[in-house]
Amino acid sequence: MERIYVVPLRKVKHTPSSKAAQRAVNAVRNFIKKHMKVEEDNVWIDSSVNEALWARGKYKIPSKIRVRAVKFDDGVVEVSLPEVGFKSLREELKAIKAEKKPILKAKEEKEEKVEERKEEEKEEEESVEKEEKVTEEEQEKGTES
């Protein structure tokens, strides 16, 4: 579901001016939460909206802002400027995640560790056997003389 809203920010201007921009971001989030009927955690604000709110600094905010809200099946709402071509941040993140290959999986790591331990144990046993043979030969030489 996609909708375009005009979020009023006049009341936000009547706050301490040093907190105006941050309060405007929260006002946009609350407005979308109320009108799209989602939880506050499920509202994703695009950087274009954030930059528009902070464009004139943290003291002077716009009186209203026009935003596009897109609600996905899982209940997440993305908020962006309608003037900016819509490209879903979620889709970009999914594409990036799909491109990344896992370095090693947990099971493979465990199997490799077990194999390494076995190899180390074999090497230790071989070195111990060689040492025993050497000491036996030395003892035989010592008893012969």
Side-chain angles (χ1 to χ4, degrees), residues 15-145:
T15 61
S17 61
S18 62
K19 297 181 180 179
Q22 181 57 41
R23 184 110 187 261
V25 172
N26 289 336
V28 170
R29 186 179 304 276
N30 288 332
F31 184 90
I32 296 298
K33 177 181 87 168
K34 179 179 178 183
H35 290 273
M36 297 295 272
K37 298 177 181 157
V38 295
E39 294 180 12
E40 193 169 343
D41 297 339
N42 292 335
V43 178
W44 292 12
I45 296 180
D46 188 41
S47 62
S48 60
V49 176
N50 192 41
E51 289 170 5
L53 292 173
W54 286 80
R56 296 177 6 195
K58 73 176 189 176
Y59 301 106
K60 297 179 181 180
I61 58 170
S63 300
K64 58 188 172 184
I65 187 167
R66 194 164 164 248
V67 296
R68 171 192 289 128
V70 180
K71 186 175 183 179
F72 294 97
D73 295 334
D74 59 351
V76 174
V77 177
E78 277 192 25
V79 182
S80 62
L81 291 179
E83 294 81 25
V84 178
F86 180 70
K87 54 181 180 181
S88 176
L89 176 63
R90 296 180 75 217
E91 300 302 324
E92 290 179 21
L93 291 175
K94 285 181 182 178
I96 291 170
K97 192 174 183 179
E99 289 175 3
K100 290 184 179 178
K101 295 180 181 177
I103 298 170
L104 288 176
K105 294 184 180 177
K107 290 181 180 178
E108 291 176 0
E109 287 179 5
K110 289 179 182 178
E111 291 173 0
E112 288 181 5
K113 287 181 181 178
V114 169
E115 289 175 6
E116 288 176 5
R117 288 180 188 158
K118 288 180 181 177
E119 290 175 6
E120 289 174 1
E121 289 174 0
K122 287 180 183 177
E123 290 174 2
E124 288 177 12
E125 289 175 5
E126 290 175 0
S127 64
V128 169
E129 289 175 3
K130 288 180 182 177
E131 290 176 9
E132 289 175 358
K133 288 181 182 177
V134 170
T135 54
E136 288 175 5
E137 290 176 2
E138 290 176 359
Q139 288 175 356
E140 289 176 8
K141 289 180 182 178
T143 55
E144 290 176 4
S145 30

